[in-house]
Amino acid sequence: MDMNRDYRVLELDKVLEMLAAKCACADTADEARRIQPQTDLNRVHDMLLQTADAHMLAGRFGTPSFGGATNIAGALRRAQAGAVLSMGELLRIASVMRTIRTLRDWRGHCEGVSTSLDGLFMTLASNNHLEDKITASIVSPEEMNDHASAELYDIRRKIKSAESRVREQLEKLIRSATYQKYLQDSLVTMRDGRFVVPVKAEFRSQVAGLVHDTSSSGATVFIEPMAVVETNNDIRLLQGREQEEIERILTALSAECGENADMLIASYHTLIELDLLFAKANLAYDMDASLPIVSADGVIDLKKARHPLIHKKKVVPSDIRLGGEFDTLMITGPNTGGKTVTLKTLGLLTSMTMCGMMIPAGDNSRVSVFDNILADIGDEQSIEQSLSTFSAHMTNIIRILGVAGDKSLVLLDELGAGTDPVEGAALAESIIEQLRSKGARIAATTHYAELKSYALTTPGVENGSCEFNVETLRPTYKLLIGVPGRSNAFAICAQLGMPDAVVEQARSLVSSDNTRVEDVVAELDTARQEMEHKLEEAERLKAEAEAVKREMKEREEKFEKTKQGEIETARNQAARIVSQARAEADDLLKEIDRLRKDYESAKISALNGDAKASLRARLRKMEASVDPVEQRSNEGYVLPRDLKVGDTVEVFGLHEKGTVLALPDKSGNVMVQMGIIKSRVKLGELRLVEESKVTFNGQKPRKKAGTTHSIDTKKVQTEVDVRGCTVEEGILEVDRVIDHAVVMKLGEVRVIHGKGTGALRAGLHQHFRKHPNIKSFRLGVYGEGETGVTIIELK
């Protein structure tokens, strides 16, 4: 089906050609070129949902392979009718079955994901038994495998044996002294499938046998010696049997293909449909496209829209609205300012959406489905029809007026141009009013000041302009809605060096009404630019404040978690010590009681009382130290010297080492960094760790030039296994390993979380996105643990 002229004017055919280039199969590429925009809202919803699901699957699991798929419908229908297929056709059928099987296997590996494509994948049906039988029987389009059948293997074995006997006999003949003088060359060759030897023509009567051929010069005749005629005959008979067996095998394979023809053809069509959907997904990735919100209410709201045929690094995104507060948008501005590109972008992105494609626009963009998109864009002059540019435009607009309705999007470029400006402006206004009366949504470009005034004074009609920088004489290509455009002709001429007298005289010739309109537009444009600058500055400051707020909150939460974890660890350790001491004390008391019973002397009784009192005092002392974090003190210790920035100290209450970042403040608090945590600690709670006492594996660490940090003596992990942990436990364990890796300046950590339900992986990934020391992270690939492992790259 040929695409109608309106979609060709919008260059939808070029976008579909880009889509065809993404298809793996030739049939899919043809389908892509034949896509037509759909007008049914439900159908468009379904198409977009399938494209979005293909986009998600390709992003998470990669695009499946569609290679090796060719159209096999014709061959299968002939097999169904009883024809015998060639080896090449059977191999193509096996290749399609292999592709179908690969697709089903690929979908099976997409764990825990339900999509709208599942129904298509489920309809894919292959025949593994038939696929294996074909590939095992046929080596290439010209060769059958020896093991295709036992009979074929036996026949070929006999042929090889007979050929070996013939060669052996002929080798003896050509090596014998009697015959060598008669031979042209000492070799064995073949003619008409029979083994022969080359004999000089003058000695043909000396070699008994059958002549099969003569050289072009006539100097050599190729004779089959009588001694091998019978064996050659046997070989020819065996070759006939071989061909019959090959035909029998091909007939059987063809019949089996015919039995599965309907199933395989249906699966092939599904394969083509899936190939097209993943081609749409891959094109969306190339365009940085997103899924629009679709309705049928005539409202279009494109955010940061980009024309798909302009390179994404060069195109300027524009916000385009139509159909909400206003049904008509009048776009004005200087030539080459981007008016036509804006018009085409509006129509092209709408038609792409109606084709089930994602569009190069920002998130939450809205697009409406229309019954038709009608466009009059570009030079429609026709020499053959002897029509002027104006006549060609009017002919097309007459067609549009006859077709447009309340479900139409009408795009008009340079409406009313090509004739007298006064008559053209009046005609343009009348055309727009007629289209509005039909309920159409309209976007039009114009240079006429009358239409700017019309848009300013008419409800439902809005001005828009393509911004132009008069100082640089370059357009910015930004669409400004609500602001009429300026022609800027006088300003441009002045910048280019036109004499001031000429420019001023031209200004004086412009009517006062036009001058007032241009002055109002200029004031509006100046006010808009000032407001935009203030808004940008406000947004920047707001973003910075929010970023600082988030960072401070994350630091506070992390510090609190680390603090509680350290306190809990200390309490647990103290409880274990006390429990052990109680057990030992109970044993001693029992031993004392035993001694008392054995020795009732006064001396032993006194000793018993003293021992019990001593033990009870020790127990009370140990119980008092159950919470070492809250109750231990640094009494009796005096710093040997004043602290300096960079000193390594021990926080006595936490048994943690850290580095001094700032000297004591007025309150006696010292800023200390412990791992990734910075904290203010009382000067009295610190002990100076002399560098000479810090060892690494029993030796003093080597000190790098300019470095004052202490070295962690524990073995640094680059892999952590959190399988079986809760999300909170996993986060604490991973953070511990990351802290040590950062201190040792390692670049990568491997986290093993397993596959399971994915809840632990999701919780960890959410934590990683906000972690200050993580640069990026990814799931493992084949050989690394795949989705059961996450590889973290540290900053």
Side-chain angles (χ1 to χ4, degrees), residues 648-651 655-659 672-675 689 694 710:
T648 300
V649 294
E650 179 187 0
V651 182
H655 283 296
E656 286 289 336
K657 289 185 175 66
T659 302
V672 178
Q673 178 162 359
M674 295 170 283
V689 178
V694 179
S710 62

Side-chain angles (χ1 to χ4, degrees), residues 559-588:
F559 175 76
E560 187 62 29
K561 287 181 180 179
T562 305
K563 174 184 173 184
Q564 294 300 327
E566 294 289 349
I567 290 173
E568 189 64 27
T569 300
R571 282 178 175 156
N572 290 339
Q573 184 178 2
R576 284 195 298 272
I577 293 171
V578 171
S579 177
Q580 183 179 358
R582 280 185 178 277
E584 293 176 357
D586 288 341
D587 290 341
L588 286 172

Side-chain angles (χ1 to χ4, degrees), residues 105 107 111 236 339 405 438 442 469 536 559 573 620 742 755:
D105 292 344
R107 183 62 185 92
E111 299 175 345
R236 294 299 292 269
K339 300 191 301 298
K438 293 174 174 285
I442 309 158
N469 190 324
E536 288 175 2
F559 175 76
Q573 184 178 2
R620 284 194 297 271
V742 169
K755 299 179 180 178

Side-chain angles (χ1 to χ4, degrees), residues 526-757:
T526 301
R528 175 192 59 78
Q529 291 181 13
E530 291 178 358
M531 291 302 295
E532 280 187 356
H533 291 319
K534 291 180 180 179
L535 181 61
E536 288 175 2
E537 181 65 18
E539 290 291 339
R540 185 185 64 79
L541 293 174
K542 180 181 177 183
E544 289 180 359
E546 289 179 349
V548 171
K549 182 179 178 182
R550 282 196 303 271
E551 184 180 357
M552 294 302 296
K553 185 176 180 181
E554 289 170 3
R555 287 185 178 182
E556 182 181 354
E557 290 176 352
K558 190 162 187 177
F559 175 76
E560 187 62 29
K561 287 181 180 179
T562 305
K563 174 184 173 184
Q564 294 300 327
E566 294 289 349
I567 290 173
E568 189 64 27
T569 300
R571 282 178 175 156
N572 290 339
Q573 184 178 2
R576 284 195 298 272
I577 293 171
V578 171
S579 177
Q580 183 179 358
R582 280 185 178 277
E584 293 176 357
D586 288 341
D587 290 341
L588 286 172
L589 289 173
K590 289 177 183 178
E591 179 66 18
I592 291 174
D593 286 338
R594 187 183 66 77
L595 291 172
R596 182 179 56 78
K597 291 176 182 178
D598 292 343
Y599 304 99
E600 294 295 334
S601 67
K603 185 176 180 180
I604 294 299
S605 295
L607 180 62
N608 182 26
D610 293 342
K612 283 186 175 181
S614 175
L615 283 171
R616 290 193 185 99
R618 289 174 63 191
L619 279 175
R620 284 194 297 271
K621 184 177 181 180
M622 293 184 72
E623 286 174 348
S625 64
V626 169
D627 190 351
V629 176
E630 300 295 338
Q631 298 183 18
R632 294 188 65 187
S633 66
N634 201 12
E635 295 178 0
Y637 177 79
V638 178
L639 288 169
R641 60 174 173 81
D642 292 338
L643 292 179
K644 297 183 294 183
V645 173
D647 280 343
T648 300
V649 294
E650 179 187 0
V651 182
F652 184 70
L654 295 176
H655 283 296
E656 286 289 336
K657 289 185 175 66
T659 302
V660 174
L661 298 181
L663 297 179
D665 56 17
K666 295 179 180 179
S667 302
N669 295 321
V670 181
M671 179 63 74
V672 178
Q673 178 162 359
M674 295 170 283
I676 64 168
I677 300 173
K678 297 179 182 178
S679 178
R680 292 191 179 277
V681 183
K682 289 289 186 182
L683 182 62
E685 293 296 322
L686 299 179
R687 290 187 174 185
L688 182 65
V689 178
E690 296 294 342
E691 293 185 2
S692 59
K693 296 180 181 180
V694 179
T695 63
F696 184 82
N697 292 336
Q699 298 179 356
K700 291 184 179 180
R702 295 178 182 178
K703 185 174 181 181
K704 296 182 181 179
T707 302
T708 58
H709 298 286
S710 62
I711 298 176
D712 190 354
T713 62
K714 298 180 181 178
K715 181 180 179 181
V716 177
Q717 294 177 251
T718 60
E719 180 179 289
V720 56
D721 189 342
V722 295
R723 288 176 291 185
C725 296
T726 64
V727 174
E728 291 75 19
E729 292 170 346
I731 289 173
L732 287 173
E733 188 63 16
V734 172
D735 279 354
R736 181 184 65 78
V737 175
I738 289 175
D739 289 346
H740 286 292
V742 169
V743 171
M744 297 304 292
K745 300 188 181 301
L746 299 180
E748 189 176 276
V749 171
R750 184 171 182 260
V751 181
I752 304 172
H753 44 63
K755 299 179 180 178
T757 62

Side-chain angles (χ1 to χ4, degrees), residues 189-202:
T189 185
M190 294 190 76
R191 287 293 185 273
D192 298 327
R194 302 179 76 88
F195 289 95
V196 295
V197 293
V199 179
K200 296 176 182 178
E202 59 269 27

Side-chain angles (χ1 to χ4, degrees), residues 154-163 165-166 169 193-195 224 227-242:
D154 186 59
I155 291 171
R156 287 184 171 175
R157 182 181 59 79
K158 290 178 180 178
I159 290 173
K160 290 177 181 177
S161 177
E163 289 178 344
R165 292 198 305 273
V166 170
Q169 288 177 285
R194 302 179 76 88
F195 289 95
E224 179 186 3
V228 298
V229 169
E230 189 63 29
T231 308
N232 269 334
N233 289 339
D234 292 341
I235 292 172
R236 294 299 292 269
L237 290 173
L238 288 169
Q239 288 173 341
R241 287 177 56 194
E242 176 191 26

Side-chain angles (χ1 to χ4, degrees), residues 271-526:
L271 182 152
I272 293 302
E273 190 172 351
L274 286 169
D275 185 18
L276 183 58
L277 287 170
F278 280 97
K280 289 180 179 179
N282 288 326
L283 182 61
Y285 276 112
D286 284 354
M287 292 181 176
D288 291 336
S290 64
L291 188 70
I293 301 169
V294 185
S295 65
D297 57 6
V299 175
I300 300 175
D301 185 3
L302 299 174
K303 304 177 187 300
K304 300 186 183 304
R306 293 169 276 110
H307 195 289
L309 298 180
I310 303 175
H311 196 282
K312 60 185 179 182
K313 292 185 178 179
K314 297 181 180 179
V315 66
V316 178
S318 291
D319 294 339
I320 309 173
R321 303 196 316 275
L322 179 64
E325 317 92 71
F326 51 91
D327 56 45
T328 302
L329 178 64
M330 301 298 301
I331 305 173
T332 53
N335 290 328
T336 71
K339 300 191 301 298
T340 303
V341 170
T342 299
L343 212 59
K344 284 189 174 183
T345 301
L346 175 62
L348 185 53
L349 266 56
T350 302
S351 58
M352 285 174 63
T353 302
M354 293 165 63
C355 290
M357 301 171 68
M358 298 169 71
I359 59 174
D363 294 336
N364 298 318
S365 293
R366 291 177 59 88
V367 177
S368 180
V369 173
F370 295 95
D371 287 348
N372 44 47
I373 300 176
L374 306 169
D376 180 66
I377 300 174
D379 188 358
E380 299 291 337
Q381 185 171 359
S382 173
I383 297 174
E384 291 82 3
Q385 298 178 12
S386 299
L387 296 175
S388 67
T389 301
F390 177 75
S391 298
H393 279 297
M394 287 303 108
T395 301
N396 194 27
I397 289 174
I398 291 169
R399 175 187 68 85
I400 291 173
L401 287 171
V403 176
D406 61 346
K407 296 292 184 182
S408 298
L409 173 63
V410 181
L411 307 172
L412 305 173
D413 191 26
E414 298 296 347
L415 182 58
T419 187
D420 178 76
V422 176
E423 293 180 353
L427 187 58
E429 184 176 333
S430 178
I431 290 169
I432 290 172
E433 282 296 324
Q434 182 65 21
L435 289 170
R436 293 189 68 208
S437 69
K438 293 174 174 285
R441 302 296 187 272
I442 309 158
T445 67
T446 183
H447 283 287
Y448 293 139
E450 292 85 350
L451 293 181
K452 300 178 191 177
S453 301
Y454 166 73
L456 285 170
T457 57
T458 306
V461 182
E462 186 63 86
N463 268 307
S465 63
C466 291
E467 191 177 51
F468 190 88
N469 190 324
V470 179
E471 295 179 0
T472 62
L473 300 180
R474 291 181 180 275
T476 65
Y477 300 107
K478 288 178 61 178
L479 178 66
L480 308 173
I481 293 179
V483 180
R486 304 171 60 192
S487 66
N488 294 307
F490 295 150
I492 292 173
C493 289
Q495 286 282 349
L496 292 175
M498 181 75 72
D500 293 342
V502 175
V503 175
E504 289 304 320
Q505 184 177 2
R507 289 184 192 277
S508 66
L509 295 176
V510 177
S511 67
S512 59
D513 290 341
N514 284 342
T515 302
R516 282 196 298 271
V517 170
E518 288 293 325
D519 290 343
V520 170
V521 171
E523 291 174 4
L524 286 172
D525 191 48
T526 301

